[in-house]
Amino acid sequence: MSRLFRPGLVRASGTRLVDDDGPVRLGGVGLGNWLMPEGYMWRFGDDLASARQIEARIRHLVGPERADEFWRRFRDEFVTEDDFALIAQAGFDHVRLPINARGVITDDGGFLADGFELIDRAVRWSERHGLRILLDLHGAPGGQTGTNIDDSPNRLPELFMRQRYRDLTIALWREIAGRYRARDAVLGYDLLNEPLPEQWQHRYEAELVQFYRDLTAAIREVDDRHLLVYEGSHWATNWQPLRQRFDDNQALQFHRYWCPPEESSIGEYLAVRDELGTPIYMGEGGENTPQWIYAATRLYERHDIGWNLWTWKKLDTVTSPLSVVRPAGWEQIADPACSPTPDRAWEILRAYLEAVAARRCERRADILDAVFARPTLQLPAWAGRGSRPQPLDRLPRELWQHPFGERYADTEHPVTTLAGGDTLSFELAQPPASWRTDADVPEALEAAWDGRRFTLTARAPVRIRVLTLADTGTVGS
């Protein structure tokens, strides 16, 4: 029985998503690495980037029997019901679950009960904790990207090269839709993650459009209830293949990383939303500083776009809400040139498994504060909304290139100049208890709270770089 915080299926109504209570603006988090391992989440390099490469490395280190045991324990322990409880407590309303087809369907089309049991668990846990869950085919049979992220066997987008793989994918989506059509906690079906990047986006554009039509028809034969979500090509940023409607109950998805967090980065998606009259969704974004995450999330919310943070948990990270503590000796696992004894490698891998439980992870409160605009942040002036906007795309590109959450250097805080009477506003969940500015004339600034925004007004010309907020202390500059 579903115990959703809000009742009913999420569905499209014009350009908005709605449920039985009315309009819905989604705010969720991805469950990367659980059912689709990615090397960077293990602090591995390019030689160990895909799930196949990671599996081969572990098998080489400890042998097939221990490797099998490792993966059984990993899938049981990397994400548990405790994670879903924490996700709900943090304030998220949904999770996006990346699925590797290799875990749920064989090359000859047989379905794998153990793989579907993991998805079943995630759906049950979502129901118990009032969350919705978006089922995301992150790695389709044959591979839809030809890169490490889809676990493709030959580093080619063979989904679009071989009919056999398309048939398997259609069969898989029919099976998924048949299994979960009655589950209201299932937010929808995210048909293909980031298909056809780089040169492939042009070579197989027509095939992608046709395949989306084929998938839509197959799913609708067994499930006419759930939302269908379509991603653009080239890392879900190129929406040329999506400039036509595939279904009456659809949403279009884009991803945004390492770009100016302003309207210039989403203008195309807003235009398509209006042209087609369809909801849109930012399905992956993050892997950056708390300041960038704050500004990007506020951008989506200003334009009534639901969002999903990538990703919930990684090893030794400052960009996810949870950070797995790196085990001693991990470099012997991560470096392909290292050859620890099987017993030593197993000892390190067991320590990793002990560390992945949510209760043992380090919590990155600044990431959650940034996502939910809590007033415990240090925000650069460019993250605010000025009465005279200064285009962010004119600032150095390096400002947005902090994929491991590296702190900004002092030289990376460009100055925002306010004339007398100008304002600079920051959207927050609640008023800060105290604040201070890095400004040349801080006494020229006065602050006000209107219930949604913390606004600085310049009484005289002032140059400001950073606003620091706290939820304790005495208000003042």
Side-chain angles (χ1 to χ4, degrees):
M1 180 64 127
S2 175
R3 300 178 184 173
L4 294 173
F5 292 140
R6 295 175 56 117
L9 281 173
V10 171
R11 53 200 180 271
S13 178
T15 60
R16 308 194 76 174
L17 294 175
V18 301
D19 62 12
D20 289 358
D21 276 354
V24 174
R25 188 181 67 203
L26 299 168
V29 67
L31 292 176
N33 202 49
W34 181 33
L35 305 185
M36 172 64 91
E38 291 190 43
Y40 85 96
M41 299 188 193
W42 303 65
R43 287 290 189 170
F44 292 164
D46 291 344
D47 291 338
L48 297 173
S50 73
R52 293 173 193 269
Q53 291 171 315
I54 298 168
E55 291 167 9
R57 171 64 173 165
I58 291 175
R59 189 167 55 250
H60 171 74
L61 288 170
V62 299
E65 290 186 9
R66 281 175 166 174
D68 288 346
E69 181 181 345
F70 173 85
W71 289 112
R72 282 195 300 272
R73 287 187 57 189
F74 175 83
R75 293 183 182 110
D76 283 343
E77 296 173 25
F78 187 79
V79 170
T80 71
E81 187 169 357
D82 287 348
D83 291 276
F84 279 72
L86 284 173
I87 287 167
Q89 290 168 17
F92 296 106
D93 61 24
H94 76 284
V95 296
R96 179 171 175 258
L97 179 65
I99 298 167
N100 187 349
R102 192 156 57 90
V104 289
I105 190 170
T106 65
D107 283 343
D108 61 3
F111 297 113
L112 299 171
D114 289 349
F116 272 104
E117 168 55 25
L118 294 170
I119 301 173
D120 289 345
R121 288 183 203 173
V123 173
R124 288 197 302 271
W125 294 337
S126 296
E127 291 172 339
R128 287 177 190 165
H129 295 281
L131 298 166
R132 291 185 166 107
I133 180 168
L134 179 63
L135 303 181
D136 153 36
L137 188 54
H138 219 74
Q144 75 278 7
T145 74
T147 71
N148 66 291
I149 65 167
D150 68 2
D151 199 29
S152 49
N154 299 307
R155 302 302 289 268
L156 292 168
E158 292 186 90
L159 176 66
F160 300 99
M161 299 174 175
R162 300 179 63 181
Q163 184 63 43
R164 183 172 75 86
Y165 288 132
R166 292 193 289 280
D167 291 343
L168 283 172
T169 305
I170 288 171
L172 176 57
W173 268 120
R174 284 178 60 91
E175 179 69 13
I176 291 171
R179 283 174 178 260
Y180 302 111
R181 61 189 169 196
R183 307 294 279 273
D184 285 6
V186 173
L187 168 59
Y189 307 136
D190 186 350
L191 300 185
L192 292 173
N193 178 68
E194 297 184 345
L196 299 173
E198 309 301 341
Q199 74 274 19
W200 305 115
Q201 64 184 305
H202 308 297
R203 183 167 179 180
Y204 290 111
E205 179 180 319
E207 287 84 350
L208 174 61
V209 171
Q210 183 57 51
F211 192 51
Y212 275 155
R213 294 199 178 285
D214 294 342
L215 285 173
T216 301
I219 291 170
R220 288 306 185 219
E221 289 177 2
V222 295
D223 183 351
D224 62 358
R225 305 176 71 236
H226 281 93
L227 184 74
L228 301 185
V229 183
Y230 304 86
E231 298 190 27
S233 60
H234 192 54
W235 316 116
T237 65
N238 176 8
W239 273 20
Q240 187 57 39
L242 305 185
R243 289 181 176 271
Q244 53 196 295
R245 179 174 282 278
F246 295 100
D247 192 74
D248 289 338
N249 188 22
Q250 70 166 39
L252 305 183
Q253 181 177 161
F254 66 94
H255 297 172
R256 293 313 278 154
Y257 294 99
W258 315 306
C259 59
E262 65 168 0
E263 280 70 12
S264 66
S265 296
I266 62 170
E268 174 190 359
Y269 314 130
L270 296 174
V272 172
R273 175 173 69 178
D274 293 340
E275 290 168 12
L276 297 183
T278 188
I280 66 177
Y281 168 69
M282 199 298 296
E284 269 191 38
E287 305 297 16
N288 214 312
T289 65
Q291 293 83 359
W292 186 92
I293 291 170
Y294 164 86
T297 308
R298 305 292 81 74
L299 170 68
Y300 310 137
E301 292 178 346
R302 282 198 302 273
H303 292 278
D304 199 27
I305 299 171
W307 48 264
N308 189 283
L309 176 72
W310 186 259
T311 183
W312 172 243
K313 180 192 296 185
K314 301 191 294 290
L315 178 69
D316 189 19
T317 182
V318 297
T319 61
S320 289
L322 294 189
S323 175
V324 179
V325 177
R326 188 195 300 238
W330 187 250
E331 66 280 357
Q332 298 177 58
I333 305 296
D335 184 351
C338 285
S339 297
T341 67
D343 286 346
R344 175 57 179 150
W346 184 234
E347 179 185 5
I348 298 167
L349 289 171
R350 287 175 61 191
Y352 171 80
L353 292 171
E354 290 295 322
V356 299
R359 68 183 181 279
R360 294 194 172 99
C361 289
E362 295 177 343
R363 302 191 185 185
R364 303 300 186 208
D366 56 346
I367 297 298
L368 293 174
D369 290 345
V371 167
F372 294 109
R374 294 167 183 154
T376 57
L377 300 165
Q378 184 181 79
L379 295 174
W382 55 255
R385 294 277 289 174
S387 52
R388 290 191 298 165
Q390 301 181 21
L392 299 186
D393 58 4
R394 297 179 184 175
L395 296 176
R397 288 180 55 85
E398 292 75 20
L399 196 60
W400 324 121
Q401 306 292 319
H402 288 251
F404 295 101
E406 308 92 326
R407 292 173 63 92
Y408 294 115
D410 286 344
T411 56
E412 289 186 293
H413 286 304
V415 168
T416 293
T417 301
L418 303 182
D422 285 352
T423 61
L424 187 63
S425 296
F426 299 83
E427 294 164 282
L428 298 172
Q430 63 192 65
S434 62
W435 61 277
R436 59 184 173 83
T437 59
D438 177 357
D440 61 345
V441 191
E443 61 272 17
L445 294 165
E446 60 182 25
W449 171 253
D450 68 0
R452 287 183 52 204
R453 287 174 291 269
F454 181 78
T455 299
L456 297 174
T457 300
R459 295 191 296 253
V462 60
R463 291 160 55 85
I464 178 173
R465 296 200 314 159
V466 176
L467 169 67
T468 300
L469 303 166
D471 59 2
T472 59
T474 303
V475 174
S477 59

